[in-house]
Amino acid sequence: MGYNEQERAFIEWYPRGYGVGFKVKRRLFETQTEYQRLEIYETEGFGKLLVLDGTVQLVEVGEESYHEVLVHPVMLAHPNPRKVLVIGGGDGGTLREVLRHDTVEKAIMVEIDEGVVEASYLYLDVAKDLLDRLIKKEEPRAELIIGDGVKYLRETDERFDVIIVDSTDPVGPAKLLFSEEFYRDAYEKLNEKGLYVTQAGSVYLFTNELLDAYKAMKKVFDRVYYFSFPVIGYASPWSFLVGVKGDVDFTRIDLERAKKLDLYYYDPERHETLFQMPRYVRKLLEGQ
Amino acid sequence: MGYNEQERAFIEWYPRGYGVGFKVKRRLFETQTEYQRLEIYETEGFGKLLVLDGTVQLVEVGEESYHEVLVHPVMLAHPNPRKVLVIGGGDGGTLREVLRHDTVEKAIMVEIDEGVVEASYLYLDVAKDLLDRLIKKEEPRAELIIGDGVKYLRETDERFDVIIVDSTDPVGPAKLLFSEEFYRDAYEKLNEKGLYVTQAGSVYLFTNELLDAYKAMKKVFDRVYYFSFPVIGYASPWSFLVGVKGDVDFTRIDLERAKKLDLYYYDPERHETLFQMPRYVRKLLEGQ
């Protein structure tokens, strides 16, 4: 796991000995934050690479393949997303995409690890200006809270149209973000029409974690959808889960609003293709 | 490129320094065939791994994610595929999937490198029995020809309903299989209603090769479709191109025939999701 001298590469090893690697020029930064070990590398072909506890979080060139796909399908399926909560997402990429929607009046981002926000601000070209404004409390439509997302969601009096969980994988510190209890808190804090979305791991390599999360969400939300996308930097395809509260149809999105976004990875005009899933995984999910 | 002692892994490095790796227990076999360097490894979690000239061809556990997706969409879109040509595919996986269709009366496989067929027969659990029957000329519905697919297609008097190109990537020896001249030969040797399919490389990392092949196919076929799927072992998503001759609609497949196949990766009931493509790649393709 990690930096390999012989290859001059950072390689992340997944279960069953499957690896995703990036050739790197050098390590730019490393630190132990309050919560995790954080490293930043300069890659040969994908800009800078952010690593937390040995797992790839993003590469600059291609990060939109994650952030666009996490954010825009739910934002465009919701008829009028005005209040949005982002849990995690300390690099700022998710909030950046949220704020591209004119409908948004207020977005709150709750990140547990200030170290991720600081390192992202200092080293990454993902959402530098936005993070700067957030830190200085100069962003009119958004607020950064450094704190525990689980605790925040349980205690807040705010209500949201869309809740986006942009966390590390459902193993380790983020495990609680994939629990039935947390989903119940989220459901309660959604408005009458609300959408919840979370990344849910590698389709092929974290299939059991995907199934567990889907099962738990089905107990809580009115309807649950799964979809997948090839995220650059992860063992693709990557899975995502959407929980629906009330009368919202996630299979349809607002193409008029989509046009203004001019996206690079997620293709609103081909929204139906988002639901690609190997047949055996679909069967496992539907067998729940 | 290749085996890494420090990691005990085989890692294939793609352009821009992107790597896909498999932890391996040992190398089982290596040889220089008449055409290429061939290696077989035993991986930790994906069965055996076949490598040609340093590039991953398949892993046993997951090879269906390639062979099913290459074969069944065209076979199920064609109303009655009786005569099928496979070019390449020396491991036998593609022909194995072709022969699962009862409609097939005769399938011909033209593989240039006998060494691939032999090593696959001896070492891989992909299509051992089928290769055995082919070598002994005991397979009633299929024939193996060791020879140059380009030359074969130019000279044959046979006509086909479906032509499947299961080759190495459009760099090096397989380059001719992605040329306009070859597509013209293929078009000519298709019956009045015919489908041609080829793998076309990594969507993200061989985008230019995909665009070039698409452009050349558009000059020849009546209609051309692109699709993608997460193939295990390759830098996913992997792209595929379909050329249509005559009145066949590749967006519709025969669900009745599909049911009998009980597939693992390709999902005929969600055929429309096969067309997933990052939006910028779709725009590039449509800009042709």
Side-chain angles (χ1 to χ4, degrees):
Chain A
M1 184 68 79
Y3 182 70
N4 181 298
E5 189 57 45
Q6 183 187 336
E7 300 277 6
R8 294 188 63 78
F10 181 90
I11 303 169
E12 177 176 354
W13 291 104
Y14 285 81
R16 294 165 59 200
Y18 181 85
V20 173
F22 290 93
K23 292 274 185 189
V24 300
K25 294 179 190 166
R26 60 178 182 277
R27 180 153 54 195
L28 293 170
F29 182 64
E30 69 174 309
T31 187
Q32 178 67 39
T33 74
E34 199 182 332
Y35 294 93
Q36 50 209 338
R37 183 178 158 79
L38 183 155
E39 299 163 90
I40 293 175
Y41 294 86
E42 189 177 347
T43 70
E44 280 187 8
F46 291 85
K48 290 190 277 299
L49 163 68
L50 172 65
V51 176
L52 295 177
D53 280 344
T55 67
V56 169
Q57 299 303 302
L58 64 81
V59 281
E60 284 176 338
V61 179
E63 50 90 359
E64 300 91 341
S65 65
Y66 175 77
H67 292 124
E68 282 189 2
V69 170
L70 179 67
V71 169
H72 299 303
V74 287
M75 292 296 283
L76 293 170
H78 193 286
N80 187 22
R82 290 183 296 181
K83 291 266 309 268
V84 178
L85 173 64
V86 176
I87 292 181
D91 56 74
T94 293
L95 187 60
R96 178 196 68 203
E97 295 299 319
V98 167
L99 293 174
R100 294 177 66 188
H101 292 261
D102 298 339
T103 56
V104 173
E105 293 165 5
K106 190 174 183 189
I108 294 172
M109 170 173 147
V110 184
E111 165 62 54
I112 201 166
D113 192 345
E114 195 165 17
V116 174
V117 178
E118 280 169 7
S120 300
Y121 166 66
L122 288 171
Y123 290 97
L124 299 181
D125 280 325
V126 171
K128 209 179 262 293
D129 295 348
L130 172 60
L131 292 177
D132 187 37
R133 292 196 300 276
L134 286 171
I135 292 165
K136 293 178 180 160
K137 299 189 184 301
E138 287 175 358
E139 171 57 49
R141 291 192 297 154
E143 180 188 349
L144 167 64
I145 295 172
I146 299 297
D148 176 353
V150 174
K151 191 161 171 285
Y152 172 84
L153 198 62
R154 194 184 308 129
E155 295 175 357
T156 185
D157 294 325
E158 304 265 9
R159 292 295 179 274
F160 302 96
D161 300 306
V162 172
I163 297 176
I164 300 171
V165 176
D166 177 8
S167 70
T168 51
D169 296 330
V171 281
K175 207 169 187 310
L176 278 176
L177 298 174
F178 294 85
S179 67
E180 191 182 326
E181 197 184 342
F182 180 70
Y183 297 139
R184 289 202 188 281
D185 288 337
Y187 187 87
E188 198 187 309
K189 303 301 161 82
L190 281 171
N191 283 320
E192 195 184 334
K193 288 184 183 189
L195 288 170
Y196 176 94
V197 65
T198 179
Q199 69 99 345
S202 168
V203 168
Y204 287 135
L205 301 169
F206 297 139
T207 317
N208 286 337
E209 289 78 358
L210 167 62
L211 293 174
D212 287 347
Y214 183 70
K215 201 170 170 176
M217 282 178 69
K218 290 268 277 187
K219 289 187 189 165
V220 174
F221 291 94
D222 300 342
R223 284 172 302 290
V224 181
Y225 296 87
Y226 47 85
F227 66 89
S228 76
F229 201 80
V231 172
I232 295 175
Y234 300 175
S236 282
W238 212 249
S239 70
F240 298 83
L241 291 169
V242 174
V244 177
K245 179 175 177 177
D247 180 24
V248 188
D249 181 357
F250 182 66
T251 66
R252 293 171 157 275
I253 51 108
D254 185 336
L255 280 172
E256 284 309 307
R257 278 191 283 142
K259 265 181 205 156
K260 291 181 225 159
L261 297 170
D262 196 18
L263 302 173
Y264 205 64
Y265 290 92
Y266 166 54
D267 194 347
E269 288 167 79
R270 302 285 183 278
H271 184 65
E272 73 282 2
T273 65
L274 203 59
F275 301 96
Q276 190 184 78
M277 195 60 77
R279 184 169 181 265
Y280 79 94
V281 179
R282 176 169 73 81
K283 291 286 175 189
L284 286 170
L285 286 161
E286 291 181 359
Q288 296 289 346
Chain B
M1 184 67 80
Y3 182 70
N4 181 297
E5 189 57 46
Q6 183 186 335
E7 300 277 6
R8 293 187 63 77
F10 181 90
I11 304 169
E12 177 176 354
W13 291 104
Y14 285 81
R16 293 164 59 199
Y18 181 85
V20 173
F22 290 93
K23 292 275 186 189
V24 300
K25 293 180 190 167
R26 61 179 181 277
R27 181 154 52 196
L28 293 171
F29 181 65
E30 70 174 308
T31 187
Q32 179 68 38
T33 74
E34 199 181 331
Y35 293 94
Q36 49 209 338
R37 183 179 158 78
L38 183 155
E39 299 162 89
I40 293 175
Y41 293 86
E42 189 178 345
T43 70
E44 280 187 8
F46 291 85
K48 290 190 277 300
L49 163 67
L50 172 66
V51 177
L52 295 177
D53 280 345
T55 68
V56 170
Q57 298 303 302
L58 64 81
V59 281
E60 284 176 338
V61 180
E63 49 90 0
E64 300 91 342
S65 66
Y66 174 77
H67 292 124
E68 282 190 1
V69 170
L70 179 67
V71 170
H72 299 302
V74 287
M75 292 296 283
L76 293 170
H78 193 285
N80 187 23
R82 291 183 295 180
K83 289 265 311 269
V84 178
L85 173 65
V86 176
I87 292 181
D91 56 74
T94 293
L95 186 60
R96 178 196 69 203
E97 295 299 319
V98 166
L99 293 174
R100 294 177 65 189
H101 292 261
D102 298 339
T103 56
V104 174
E105 293 165 5
K106 189 174 183 190
I108 294 172
M109 170 173 147
V110 183
E111 164 63 54
I112 200 166
D113 192 345
E114 195 165 16
V116 174
V117 178
E118 279 169 7
S120 300
Y121 167 66
L122 288 171
Y123 290 98
L124 299 181
D125 280 325
V126 171
K128 208 179 263 293
D129 294 347
L130 173 60
L131 292 177
D132 187 35
R133 292 196 301 277
L134 286 171
I135 292 166
K136 294 178 179 159
K137 300 189 183 300
E138 289 175 356
E139 170 57 48
R141 291 193 297 153
E143 179 188 349
L144 167 64
I145 296 173
I146 300 296
D148 177 353
V150 174
K151 192 161 170 285
Y152 173 83
L153 198 62
R154 194 185 309 129
E155 296 175 357
T156 186
D157 294 324
E158 304 265 9
R159 292 295 178 274
F160 301 96
D161 300 305
V162 172
I163 297 176
I164 301 172
V165 176
D166 177 9
S167 71
T168 51
D169 295 331
V171 282
K175 207 169 187 309
L176 278 177
L177 298 174
F178 294 85
S179 68
E180 191 182 325
E181 196 184 342
F182 180 70
Y183 297 139
R184 288 201 189 282
D185 288 336
Y187 186 87
E188 198 188 308
K189 303 301 160 83
L190 281 171
N191 282 320
E192 196 184 333
K193 288 185 183 189
L195 288 170
Y196 176 93
V197 65
T198 178
Q199 69 99 346
S202 168
V203 168
Y204 287 135
L205 301 169
F206 296 139
T207 317
N208 286 337
E209 288 79 359
L210 167 62
L211 293 173
D212 287 347
Y214 183 70
K215 201 171 170 175
M217 283 178 69
K218 290 268 277 187
K219 289 187 190 165
V220 174
F221 291 94
D222 300 343
R223 284 172 302 291
V224 181
Y225 296 86
Y226 47 85
F227 66 89
S228 77
F229 201 80
V231 172
I232 295 175
Y234 300 175
S236 282
W238 212 250
S239 69
F240 298 83
L241 291 169
V242 174
V244 177
K245 178 174 177 178
D247 180 25
V248 187
D249 182 357
F250 182 65
T251 66
R252 293 172 158 275
I253 51 108
D254 185 337
L255 280 173
E256 285 309 307
R257 277 190 284 142
K259 263 181 207 158
K260 292 181 223 157
L261 296 170
D262 195 18
L263 302 173
Y264 206 64
Y265 290 92
Y266 166 54
D267 194 347
E269 288 167 79
R270 302 284 181 280
H271 184 65
E272 72 283 1
T273 64
L274 202 59
F275 301 95
Q276 191 183 77
M277 195 59 78
R279 184 170 181 265
Y280 79 93
V281 179
R282 175 169 74 81
K283 291 286 176 189
L284 286 170
L285 286 161
E286 291 182 358
Q288 297 290 345

